[in-house]
Amino acid sequence: VEASIPEPQREAWTKHQVQGFTDKDGFEKEVVRHVETTLARSLYNCDEGAAYSAAALAFRDRLITNWNKTQQRQTFADSKRVYYLSLEFLMGRAMDNAMLNLGLKNVAKDGMQDLGFRIEDIIGQEHDAALGNGGLGRLAACFLDSLASLDYPAWGYGLRYRYGIFKQEIINGYQVEVPDYWLDFNPWEFPRHDVTVDIQFYGNVRKSQDENGKSVAHWEGGEIVTAVAYDVPIPGYATPSTNNLRLWSSKASSGEFDFQKFNNGDYESSVADQQRAETISAVLYPNDNLERGKELRLKQQYFWVAASLHDIVRRFKKSKRAWKEFPDQVAIQLNDTHPTLAIVELQRILVDKENLEWDEAWEIVTSTFGYTNHTVLPEALEKWSVGLFQHLLPRHLQIIYDINLFFLQSVEKKFPKDHDLLSRVSIIEESQVKMVRMAYLAIIGSHKVNGVAELHSDLIQTTIFRDFVTIFGADKFTNVTNGITPRRWLHQANPRLSELIASKTGGYDFLKDLTLLNQIEQYAGDKEFRKEWAEIKYANKVRLAKYIKSTLDVTVNPAALFDVQVKRIHEYKRQQLNIFGVIHRYLALKAMSPEERKKQLPRVSIFGGKAAPGYWMAKQIIHLINNVGAVVNNDPDIGDQLKVIFLEDYNVSKAEMIIPANDISEHISTAGTEASGTSNMKFVLNGGLIIGTCDGANIEITREVGQENIFLFGTLSEDVEDLRHQHNYSNHSIDSNLSKVFEAIQSGKFGEPNDFGAMISAVRDHGDYYLVSDDFESYLDTQKMVDTEYRNQDEWIAKCIRSVARMGFFSSDRCINEYAEGIWNVEPLVVKN
Ligand code: GPK
């Protein structure tokens, strides 16, 4: 590796090498220096915002020291690296995580106190980095934490959106979206104005012949947009390893800024061109489990994929290895189909730019990529019209046609004359408007395809991708059950619980090997331990109750059972089933005598989550929840017996406060629809029990914690299709409890009934696709069991302790190790301090 500084001058560099602070004094010195120089303020005008900024800058400097070491080590070792391509990274706040991963939180806490601030207030100043919608984006963030903590040489690649997921406001019970402009001050990124890639769009393809008579494609004309790298350091826990998340931002290329126009006085339109270029990375599409085929989205995808691949190839070429070694140096994981164009782009680079033969190039491509599927919902499977491709990426469309041709020829050879099969597996869907099926392209261009929980991986192999299992064999398809990082979701979100566990397991090793949690199982019967456990839970509930009081002015009793469902609002996730259950509970309470009512177990039903702005039904569900809350919470007959809370603007930092306060959490999707779920893992790890369906990772959670520690109900996935069929072809009957709920809504008790007409008829008149009516009775029965069991607090807490003890499997460390071994074939690379 070449160094820019010649040997004789390196001594000065070594002598002055930045070490970074290690103690309180060093930290304070850095904070004061940043307040007084970087921020140009002083002790006379340092508010909490400035104190946060300075502390964050101090930690950023500290991280970058480790980051430099890690990158140098990786460059020298030149071993295989993993590249995780994701359109979403839902990182949340960085500072608390950085402090904990570096083991410097106490240093910072004491230091800030010396300087006149409380660390919690300072942490609270940070704006979430919300570059994601929900589970898929948060999974990517947990993976980055695990990759660094396990010392894997890994890079994340994504887009630097100027606007992350919108901020949700609730106005008169309705969701209102407000833009999330989060880049005003972001100390966690390093702009790399020297790391740029020019990206081409539109234009046309000219073919010529080289000296050997081989046909060569030239993609010409069109427009150029420049990608600029912004690097975000990702610290591992209890290791100096600090990986890189590289986010691309778009700007007009300097060649593109039209000086002709400018000189002719057409200043406005030259600036407009500039803005058009910047639009590419301007905004995150706010859809979860839904694809809408917008041109700008495809532009985003190609922009990001092309810039990332250019970067990866540039790094590979430095090593001067032969192309066939590329897959020994590079593993690229596709987080859903969003980066599928990377397959086509690498083939294009190898064939058009590097002059490799098609077959040799294709062998390299397919050995490099792995594809993770995150959903079986048909409306979420990406398809792009051939026309749009032809217009935006003409050369890529040709390559897709060739990939498809060679693939179909191989299928034809193996399964002669099965024309139905050929049309079923063709990358091109021969519909009215021809479409490119991205999932098929991803499968054909990868060496492994995985689902994210056992049931989900089985389902993709037996339903949406079954023809591909026939063609490629079952070995190409695998399962990697999702996981979560225990650093953020236990240690950071629930420090007291983490401390209690550490006190019984001999320190914090469990944060690196979560299976060590099994050592706390022996304390499930220990009175003293249970008492401490219950105190921590209660304190977490008090904290949430205070937050509810301050934001919604509703008083909730922390002794009540806290029942939480927070996640994106979607019909398949069935928040409607939950709120119908709440209405049923309310009606039942109203029908009781006051004495009887008092004997019931008090409950707080807590909801939260965003609806995609264009998802009308999801917005109606939010509206109904809020209307029910307005009635129930103000009904003097009800008092503490039932409260219904909708928490505005659910995001990562709110999750860190809400999840530790749960007694019960709801994961009640229609069986077969939730690929995995990851909040189910977070809730149990924080000492709550689940009410859930046999879906996604709920099934494996049951296997781990034991059937007696989870409240399962509802239709099984193998019965879903038959039930749907029955709904459509026979009279679909609604049981009396659900009918009464509908009647109450239609009576106008919860606001204008017409607002909720469509929600009711979806169940009653339009086939009840999500099986709300089928599962309603068993849902109510199971909630009754929850009430009964909660009354026995000793046994309840014992169940929670046993469950936490058995959650080791769900660490994202286990999950990343499975990817590393089974898909990427990469080894950790230890960085010395
Ligand atoms: C799946 F397809 C998608 C999507 O567009 N967005 C998203 O968040 C989620 N997901 C699944 O819905 C979850 O079940 C799963 O746990 C998560 O991805 C991570 O795999």
Side-chain angles (χ1 to χ4, degrees):
V1 181
E2 280 174 50
S4 41
I5 307 300
E7 192 66 68
Q9 279 78 40
R10 285 189 205 166
E11 203 186 304
W13 287 83
T14 322
K15 187 171 139 203
H16 298 299
Q17 203 170 47
V18 177
Q19 295 301 342
F21 65 88
T22 50
D23 59 8
K24 183 172 72 111
D25 239 41
F27 172 70
E28 290 175 20
K29 192 172 155 195
E30 286 299 286
V31 171
V32 171
R33 181 175 71 80
H34 278 301
V35 169
E36 295 192 345
T37 62
T38 319
L39 305 173
R41 296 209 192 194
S42 73
L43 71 157
Y44 295 104
N45 59 358
C46 183
D47 55 11
E48 283 178 352
Y52 158 70
S53 301
L57 290 163
F59 271 100
R60 177 183 83 158
D61 292 349
R62 187 69 184 64
L63 288 187
I64 216 65
T65 312
N66 285 348
W67 185 91
N68 276 330
K69 270 184 221 154
T70 310
Q71 298 312 314
Q72 271 166 35
R73 175 86 179 95
Q74 289 181 14
T75 306
F76 278 114
D78 197 30
S79 49
K80 188 169 185 178
R81 293 181 176 93
V82 187
Y83 297 100
Y84 196 78
L85 269 57
S86 179
L87 257 194
E88 305 189 9
F89 287 95
L90 194 42
M91 304 296 287
R93 289 175 176 156
M95 191 165 76
D96 202 359
N97 179 246
M99 295 187 313
L100 289 166
N101 280 15
L102 288 166
L104 289 169
K105 184 161 183 182
N106 284 330
V107 163
K109 184 177 165 217
D110 297 346
M112 289 317 288
Q113 194 171 342
D114 283 352
L115 297 168
F117 296 95
R118 277 170 23 128
I119 193 78
E120 301 79 46
D121 301 336
I122 299 308
I123 289 167
Q125 290 293 315
E126 183 174 354
H127 196 109
D128 276 34
L131 307 185
N133 276 286
L136 175 147
R138 184 53 233 179
L139 184 75
C142 283
F143 280 6
L144 292 182
D145 184 78
S146 285
L147 284 162
S149 297
L150 296 167
D151 301 303
Y152 285 109
W155 287 57
Y157 276 106
L159 278 183
R160 179 182 179 267
Y161 303 108
R162 201 145 23 94
Y163 296 91
I165 189 65
F166 62 85
K167 185 174 184 315
Q168 177 193 56
E169 289 183 4
I170 302 296
I171 297 178
N172 297 325
Y174 289 97
Q175 167 175 299
V176 173
E177 300 94 22
V178 179
D180 166 54
Y181 183 80
W182 69 291
L183 289 170
D184 249 357
F185 174 77
N186 180 11
W188 304 106
E189 65 177 11
F190 290 83
R192 303 281 193 196
H193 294 296
D194 55 328
V195 181
T196 61
V197 187
D198 279 351
I199 310 295
Q200 184 178 4
F201 293 103
Y202 309 106
N204 41 61
V205 183
R206 180 174 57 83
K207 294 253 163 136
S208 71
Q209 297 208 329
D210 70 5
E211 56 275 21
N212 308 317
K214 192 180 139 195
S215 161
V216 189
H218 309 268
W219 181 17
E220 297 169 339
E223 67 176 52
I224 305 284
V225 177
T226 299
V228 185
Y230 285 73
D231 289 346
V232 181
I234 308 293
Y237 174 77
T239 165
S241 288
T242 302
N243 283 338
N244 196 25
L245 168 60
R246 179 158 283 179
L247 302 176
W248 299 103
S249 181
S250 61
K251 66 165 197 183
S253 83
S254 42
E256 177 78 348
F257 188 80
D258 200 327
F259 285 99
Q260 206 58 45
K261 277 185 189 167
F262 186 69
N263 292 332
N264 292 339
D266 199 356
Y267 175 71
E268 274 174 42
S269 93
S270 68
V271 172
D273 288 349
Q274 189 135 340
Q275 286 189 344
R276 204 156 42 88
E278 289 174 12
T279 301
I280 292 179
S281 61
V283 60
L284 164 77
Y285 277 90
N287 301 320
D288 184 89
N289 272 288
L290 180 77
E291 272 307 318
R292 298 214 135 206
K294 290 271 201 337
E295 174 171 346
L296 181 60
R297 168 84 168 186
L298 187 58
K299 272 185 113 167
Q300 287 187 334
Q301 293 185 352
Y302 181 64
F303 171 81
W304 149 64
V305 150
S308 306
L309 263 185
H310 185 95
D311 214 39
I312 293 166
V313 166
R314 177 164 64 189
R315 201 166 298 123
F316 173 76
K317 282 173 111 176
K318 275 199 205 157
S319 73
K320 310 237 158 57
R321 291 169 191 261
W323 277 111
K324 66 172 181 355
E325 289 180 52
F326 191 80
D328 306 327
Q329 293 300 105
V330 173
I332 303 179
Q333 192 64 27
L334 307 174
N335 195 24
D336 215 287
T337 52
H338 316 146
T340 302
L341 274 171
I343 289 168
V344 189
E345 177 69 358
L346 183 57
Q347 182 71 5
R348 185 181 76 89
I349 292 170
L350 296 177
V351 172
D352 289 1
K353 306 264 169 202
E354 304 292 338
N355 297 313
L356 269 67
E357 293 298 322
W358 178 278
D359 289 344
E360 193 190 355
W362 187 241
E363 177 63 31
I364 292 168
V365 169
T366 52
S367 313
T368 300
F369 289 99
Y371 156 53
T372 305
N373 172 279
H374 294 267
T375 185
V376 296
L377 298 191
E379 65 270 30
L381 297 179
E382 273 191 298
K383 288 175 190 174
W384 294 101
S385 83
V386 165
L388 178 55
F389 252 104
Q390 174 65 47
H391 180 55
L392 188 68
L393 301 165
R395 177 60 184 143
H396 293 78
L397 183 62
Q398 292 177 345
I399 294 173
I400 290 171
Y401 278 146
D402 285 344
I403 292 171
N404 198 37
L405 178 72
F406 297 134
F407 169 66
L408 292 179
Q409 282 173 350
S410 75
V411 176
E412 162 97 273
K413 217 166 153 190
K414 234 176 155 177
F415 306 90
K417 303 212 175 67
D418 192 342
H419 285 282
D420 213 47
L421 177 66
L422 291 183
S423 82
R424 282 204 309 272
V425 300
S426 172
I427 296 172
I428 308 299
E429 181 183 82
E430 300 288 336
S431 38
Q432 281 279 350
V433 180
K434 283 195 193 179
M435 302 295 257
V436 181
R437 298 152 156 168
M438 300 306 272
Y440 293 6
L441 178 55
I443 296 170
I444 295 163
S446 300
H447 68 286
K448 282 276 179 194
V449 177
N450 76 284
V452 291
E454 275 175 17
L455 174 68
H456 170 65
S457 297
D458 285 348
L459 282 174
I460 62 178
Q461 289 173 52
T462 52
T463 63
I464 54 176
F465 301 152
R466 61 186 270 214
D467 288 327
F468 292 92
V469 177
T470 313
I471 292 164
F472 289 113
D475 283 356
K476 178 160 177 165
F477 296 83
T478 186
N479 170 248
V480 185
T481 298
N482 282 167
I484 56 170
T485 169
R487 273 75 66 176
R488 183 176 294 259
W489 297 112
L490 178 53
H491 193 46
Q492 180 179 322
N494 204 340
R496 283 187 63 191
L497 189 62
S498 183
E499 196 186 351
L500 177 63
I501 293 167
S503 75
K504 296 293 185 193
T505 59
Y508 288 97
D509 286 357
F510 67 95
L511 292 174
K512 280 235 154 185
D513 174 4
L514 202 62
T515 62
L516 296 175
L517 282 177
N518 64 14
Q519 295 173 50
I520 67 166
E521 180 145 2
Q522 55 184 304
Y523 301 102
D526 180 325
K527 263 207 148 95
E528 190 51 37
F529 187 80
R530 277 208 303 247
K531 195 172 146 242
E532 288 179 58
W533 187 281
E535 270 170 24
I536 292 166
K537 176 60 72 183
Y538 191 77
N540 290 334
K541 290 167 75 177
V542 167
R543 176 171 67 160
L544 180 57
K546 280 190 181 145
Y547 179 79
I548 291 169
K549 180 72 189 169
S550 74
T551 52
L552 296 167
D553 198 25
V554 177
T555 306
V556 302
N557 178 2
L561 184 156
F562 280 21
D563 170 343
V564 186
Q565 188 179 20
V566 286
K567 52 182 83 219
R568 287 297 289 251
I569 312 292
H570 207 297
E571 285 164 283
Y572 89 79
K573 294 178 190 282
R574 296 202 297 189
Q575 284 93 353
Q576 69 276 40
L577 174 60
N578 186 343
I579 194 65
F580 293 159
V582 169
I583 294 173
H584 172 270
R585 182 179 290 265
Y586 173 66
L587 298 176
L589 284 168
K590 288 292 274 184
M592 290 174 192
S593 67
E595 299 74 51
E596 210 185 339
R597 212 177 282 145
K598 274 213 190 74
K599 287 190 218 145
Q600 304 305 307
L601 187 80
R603 185 182 283 238
V604 183
S605 277
I606 299 166
F607 294 82
K610 294 171 187 178
Y615 192 169
W616 182 83
M617 188 68 92
K619 289 181 150 181
Q620 290 303 325
I621 294 172
I622 293 175
H623 184 201
L624 180 60
I625 296 167
N626 281 302
N627 281 10
V628 171
V631 171
V632 172
N633 300 344
N634 295 302
D635 187 331
D637 292 348
I638 299 299
D640 268 2
Q641 293 305 115
L642 180 61
K643 290 282 183 251
V644 182
I645 302 298
F646 190 94
L647 294 169
E648 199 173 68
D649 197 40
Y650 178 62
N651 62 15
V652 172
S653 55
K654 290 195 179 122
E656 290 166 20
M657 167 184 56
I658 297 164
I659 292 171
N662 90 94
D663 292 309
I664 278 278
S665 65
E666 307 221 9
H667 308 276
I668 58 176
S669 48
T670 311
T673 62
E674 188 69 276
S676 162
T678 43
S679 78
N680 42 7
M681 304 166 191
K682 297 167 194 168
F683 278 104
V684 177
L685 189 61
N686 280 279
L689 303 182
I690 283 177
I691 179 164
T693 45
C694 295
D695 200 17
N698 290 355
I699 295 170
E700 287 145 278
I701 292 175
T702 307
R703 184 188 68 203
E704 295 294 310
V705 303
Q707 290 210 37
E708 67 286 5
N709 296 316
I710 187 164
F711 297 94
L712 291 179
F713 72 96
T715 305
L716 300 178
S717 96
E718 61 257 40
D719 300 324
V720 167
E721 225 182 300
D722 278 356
L723 282 170
R724 282 181 179 158
H725 189 83
Q726 283 175 33
H727 294 173
N728 286 314
Y729 291 96
S730 58
N731 243 338
H732 173 207
S733 71
I734 303 286
D735 80 68
S736 77
N737 278 321
L738 188 54
S739 293
K740 281 179 195 145
V741 168
F742 289 170
E743 281 161 27
I745 295 170
Q746 283 167 324
S747 76
K749 245 191 189 76
F750 306 109
E752 175 54 50
N754 283 335
D755 289 355
F756 312 113
M759 205 190 301
I760 293 173
S761 20
V763 174
R764 204 184 42 196
D765 316 316
H766 299 132
D768 191 13
Y769 188 77
Y770 297 103
L771 311 189
V772 170
S773 57
D774 303 272
D775 287 350
F776 194 63
E777 271 315 301
S778 64
Y779 178 65
L780 295 183
D781 291 345
T782 309
Q783 285 287 19
K784 225 179 245 162
M785 284 172 55
V786 171
D787 286 333
T788 311
E789 294 202 19
Y790 192 76
R791 287 180 184 281
N792 185 349
Q793 271 294 297
D794 275 350
E795 185 47 31
W796 183 276
I797 293 164
K799 282 179 180 226
C800 294
I801 295 168
R802 283 185 209 113
S803 299
V804 172
R806 299 170 187 178
M807 284 298 284
F809 179 75
F810 299 99
S811 169
S812 46
D813 294 348
R814 183 269 313 154
C815 180
I816 284 299
N817 280 327
E818 285 183 18
Y819 277 100
E821 240 195 69
I823 299 178
W824 302 331
N825 194 26
V826 288
E827 303 274 325
L829 179 70
V830 177
V831 181
K832 297 223 170 60
N833 231 331

